[in-house]
Amino acid sequence: MIKIVSTLFLLLTATFILSGCAPKVEDNSFSLLTQEQREKKLNDINELEEFGKIGLFSRYKNASFSVNCAYSYNKNKFSLAFTGPMGMQYALIEVYANGTTYINAQGKELKGENARELLKENFKLDIPVEDLHRVMIGLPRGKVIYDNLGYAKEALVEDQYKVIYRSYKPIKEYVLPNLLEIITPQTKIVLRISDITTVK
């Protein structure tokens, strides 16, 4: 198991380094829109479903793991599932529009009103889940630095965590992030989206 995790970590790290420092974007009709038009189009997304891999690395301990992940969003809620071989589910995080959060991690069920604090208190895992949807569509809050094409390159949110966008992918009439890094006080997260099955 340790060998598998180490191999996945090396693959993620290599991909991350090879991706370069500036977000890469392929052209499509979305690229021709103004920044204001892009933001409106992204904010109007009603459904989004993505699959990929997520690597989580402790910033203070020599600990890391990488698993498959599935992200799903609609106007009522969004969810993030961590899965293993043959679809085995390690954990599921569901955050509703009113802030109510449900977490099921290997049979342990939790409910709360603050998703981030719930994860930190129970699993020592720091993921800014309340802002996750904006991060996933390339509209992070906070102090945002844009590249020369007008796409988010970096964002500092509430002086608590940093988002770095490494590349974007055109999908239908949108352009969405497909490789990004989130740095929180406790954790570094590398998220690579390999398949976007639904966006509308």
Side-chain angles (χ1 to χ4, degrees), residues 101-160:
T101 301
Y102 295 93
I103 299 175
N104 186 317
Q106 297 181 333
K108 183 178 181 180
E109 295 185 0
L110 300 166
K111 178 183 176 183
E113 302 304 319
N114 187 317
R116 189 175 185 187
E117 290 303 316
L118 201 62
L119 281 168
K120 286 166 67 176
E121 288 172 10
N122 292 276
F123 302 102
K124 309 299 182 204
L125 183 60
D126 188 8
I127 301 176
V129 286
E130 290 93 343
D131 292 308
L132 188 59
H133 180 64
R134 292 189 63 84
V135 168
M136 295 294 281
I137 62 174
L139 288 181
R141 297 184 303 116
K143 303 170 186 174
V144 183
I145 298 172
Y146 297 92
D147 66 8
N148 59 350
L149 297 175
Y151 292 93
K153 181 178 177 182
E154 291 184 9
L156 183 62
V157 182
E158 297 176 358
D159 295 324
Q160 294 184 44

Side-chain angles (χ1 to χ4, degrees), residues 13 20 24 52 71 80-81 102 110 156 167 184 196:
T13 303
K24 299 174 184 175
Y71 174 75
L80 181 63
Y102 295 93
L110 300 166
L156 183 62
S167 65
T184 75
I196 302 173

Side-chain angles (χ1 to χ4, degrees), residues 5-188:
V5 170
S6 299
T7 302
L8 288 171
F9 170 76
L10 289 173
L11 286 171
L12 269 171
T13 303
T15 302
F16 176 73
I17 291 170
L18 289 172
S19 68
C21 296
K24 299 174 184 175
V25 183
E26 296 178 38
D27 290 331
N28 69 356
S29 59
F30 187 87
S31 302
L32 303 176
L33 301 176
T34 66
Q35 189 170 333
E36 185 178 332
Q37 289 171 326
R38 292 178 190 175
E39 289 182 7
K40 183 181 184 309
K41 193 171 184 64
L42 291 171
N43 277 319
D44 287 343
I45 290 176
N46 291 306
E47 291 182 43
L48 179 62
E49 193 169 84
E50 303 178 312
F51 297 89
K53 284 197 175 290
I54 187 168
L56 296 101
F57 312 99
S58 170
R59 299 185 66 199
Y60 303 108
K61 299 177 182 178
N62 187 20
S64 64
F65 72 91
S66 174
V67 293
N68 296 325
C69 65
Y71 174 75
S72 178
Y73 167 84
N74 63 48
K75 290 294 185 181
N76 298 316
K77 71 170 185 177
F78 67 81
S79 65
L80 181 63
F82 300 86
T83 60
M86 300 183 71
M88 184 177 77
Q89 185 172 287
Y90 296 128
L92 174 64
I93 302 166
E94 295 180 302
V95 181
Y96 287 77
N98 64 3
T100 301
T101 301
Y102 295 93
I103 299 175
N104 186 317
Q106 297 181 333
K108 183 178 181 180
E109 295 185 0
L110 300 166
K111 178 183 176 183
E113 302 304 319
N114 187 317
R116 189 175 185 187
E117 290 303 316
L118 201 62
L119 281 168
K120 286 166 67 176
E121 288 172 10
N122 292 276
F123 302 102
K124 309 299 182 204
L125 183 60
D126 188 8
I127 301 176
V129 286
E130 290 93 343
D131 292 308
L132 188 59
H133 180 64
R134 292 189 63 84
V135 168
M136 295 294 281
I137 62 174
L139 288 181
R141 297 184 303 116
K143 303 170 186 174
V144 183
I145 298 172
Y146 297 92
D147 66 8
N148 59 350
L149 297 175
Y151 292 93
K153 181 178 177 182
E154 291 184 9
L156 183 62
V157 182
E158 297 176 358
D159 295 324
Q160 294 184 44
Y161 66 90
K162 184 177 184 179
V163 181
I164 303 172
Y165 291 95
R166 299 295 176 182
S167 65
Y168 289 78
K169 178 181 180 179
I171 175 74
K172 297 183 178 179
E173 69 268 28
Y174 300 90
V175 172
L176 296 173
N178 70 330
L179 181 60
L180 59 137
E181 179 181 351
I182 304 171
I183 301 173
T184 75
Q186 298 176 0
T187 313
K188 181 174 80 170

